[in-house]
Amino acid sequence: MALNLIAKVHPVVFFTIVDAYERRQPDAHRVIGTLLGYVDNGCIEVTNCFCVPHNESQEEVAVELDFAKDMFELHRKISPSEVIVGWWATGHEITDHSLLIHDYYCRVTPSPIHLTVDTTVNKGKIELKGYTSIVIGLPNKTPATMFASIPVEITATPPEIVGICATQKSKTARQRQVEPCSDLQLIADSSSKMEKDLTVLISYIDDVLSGKIAEDTQIGRELTRMVNQVPKMAPGNFEEMLNTNMKDLLMVLYLSQLTKVNVAVNEKLTLCCGTTSNKDRDTRVSTGM
């Protein structure tokens, strides 16, 4: 039953693991931690994680379990619905000590998963692999434990996608900093990117129709799926819907700017009134004396 598990990992988990690896002790060759998330019908969604200090050598491994318990209790105060779903470790292999650490998480949660994140980037990317433990052995014999691979998918919510896109822009920035863009600027950037993608797609279709390159059935299925997702409507109705949405967006921007101005004016009036009251009080005190 454990082999039917599917792990879906959010981007914040990657950022936390990479940050913990960069902040590790100089003599530590790998970092481990706890995975937090939700379990729903065999699908484990990993939404958060934290690092757990440990000391590891060829002979033994020591994990600060009290620290792990305290960190989990702190996370429960922020996100009460998140539970422990497994643990993670940097590196691309499972060592002998991994079984000892996994036994601890088996006592905390049923069917925990184990994620390995190869932060060395030897193959040009960060590899992510997921495992779960299964018991094997002969009847009436001492059972053994084996780590079986499970599929791992990358998932993200719409706010996380916006954050990732903003983070990617820092690669080309000279100071590695990105200023937040307005909604209209985001729409313009998305439209420009979509126009470039459509140009490449149309060029590919023309080359296939002319026989310059061979057709790809997988690409054809994806194109058919995308075309079927386009709503069936007349061009006039589509233009009217787009204009209506644009007007709503401009109205929201106008109201937000008006609210900012109102708050700023209110703060200045409150500050001026407070200063005037203090001066009047000082004047009355001076006159009384």
Side-chain angles (χ1 to χ4, degrees):
M1 181 175 64
L3 294 178
N4 296 328
L5 295 176
I6 298 177
K8 295 184 178 181
V9 185
H10 285 252
V12 68
V13 178
F14 288 103
F15 296 150
T16 305
I17 293 175
V18 173
D19 181 72
Y21 181 77
E22 292 293 330
R23 297 173 182 270
R24 73 188 188 282
Q25 297 295 331
D27 56 343
H29 68 280
R30 76 168 182 168
V31 185
I32 67 172
T34 301
L35 297 174
L36 303 175
Y38 312 94
V39 181
D40 184 16
N41 295 328
C43 178
I44 299 179
E45 187 171 355
V46 185
T47 57
N48 207 340
C49 69
F50 59 85
C51 178
V52 177
H54 82 295
N55 295 321
E56 190 173 2
S57 62
Q58 295 182 353
E59 294 79 15
E60 61 180 3
V61 58
V63 182
E64 296 187 12
L65 302 180
D66 293 336
F67 177 86
K69 295 179 181 178
D70 294 339
M71 284 294 296
F72 176 63
E73 292 299 329
L74 291 175
H75 275 272
R76 291 275 292 180
K77 294 181 179 180
I78 301 175
S79 301
S81 57
E82 288 184 347
V83 297
I84 297 177
V85 296
W87 66 289
W88 59 267
T90 58
H92 62 279
E93 61 182 3
I94 297 178
T95 63
D96 296 336
H97 298 154
S98 298
L99 181 60
L100 299 176
I101 302 174
H102 196 79
D103 287 340
Y104 162 72
Y105 285 93
C106 287
R107 297 193 298 268
V108 176
T109 180
S111 301
I113 62 173
H114 174 42
L115 294 181
T116 58
V117 182
D118 187 10
T119 51
T120 58
V121 200
N122 291 328
K123 297 183 180 180
K125 64 178 182 179
I126 298 179
E127 288 190 340
L128 175 67
K129 296 182 179 180
Y131 302 92
T132 186
S133 62
I134 58 175
V135 179
I136 60 174
L138 298 175
N140 301 325
K141 300 294 183 179
T142 302
T145 303
M146 180 184 71
F147 283 94
S149 178
I150 61 174
V152 179
E153 300 177 2
I154 309 300
T155 185
T157 59
E160 290 176 336
I161 295 176
V162 174
I164 293 173
C165 293
T167 304
Q168 289 178 346
K169 293 181 180 179
S170 64
K171 296 187 299 182
T172 57
R174 181 172 300 178
Q175 297 181 354
R176 298 295 182 179
Q177 295 180 356
V178 178
E179 296 293 335
C181 301
S182 62
D183 294 341
L184 291 177
Q185 183 63 36
L186 292 175
I187 294 175
D189 294 341
S190 300
S191 301
S192 177
K193 183 178 181 300
M194 186 182 301
E195 185 178 1
K196 293 179 180 179
D197 294 340
L198 288 175
T199 303
V200 174
L201 184 58
I202 293 173
S203 176
Y204 169 78
I205 295 175
D206 293 338
D207 292 340
V208 172
L209 294 177
S210 62
K212 292 182 180 180
I213 58 177
E215 65 274 6
D216 191 331
T217 56
Q218 184 177 0
I219 297 178
R221 295 191 188 97
E222 291 296 328
L223 290 176
T224 303
R225 183 181 61 83
M226 289 189 297
V227 171
N228 292 331
Q229 289 181 351
V230 177
K232 303 296 188 299
M233 63 175 61
N237 295 335
F238 178 78
E239 184 177 358
E240 182 180 358
M241 181 186 67
L242 184 61
N243 292 333
T244 302
N245 293 335
M246 186 64 66
K247 292 179 181 178
D248 293 340
L249 178 60
L250 292 175
M251 180 60 68
V252 171
L253 291 176
Y254 172 75
L255 292 176
S256 63
Q257 293 295 334
L258 185 62
T259 303
K260 291 181 181 179
V261 173
N262 190 11
V263 171
V265 172
N266 188 25
E267 289 179 355
K268 291 183 179 181
L269 290 177
T270 302
L271 181 61
C272 292
C273 292
T275 304
T276 305
S277 300
N278 292 332
K279 290 182 180 180
D280 294 341
R281 181 173 55 83
D282 296 339
T283 302
R284 289 196 298 270
V285 172
S286 299
T287 304
M289 292 178 62

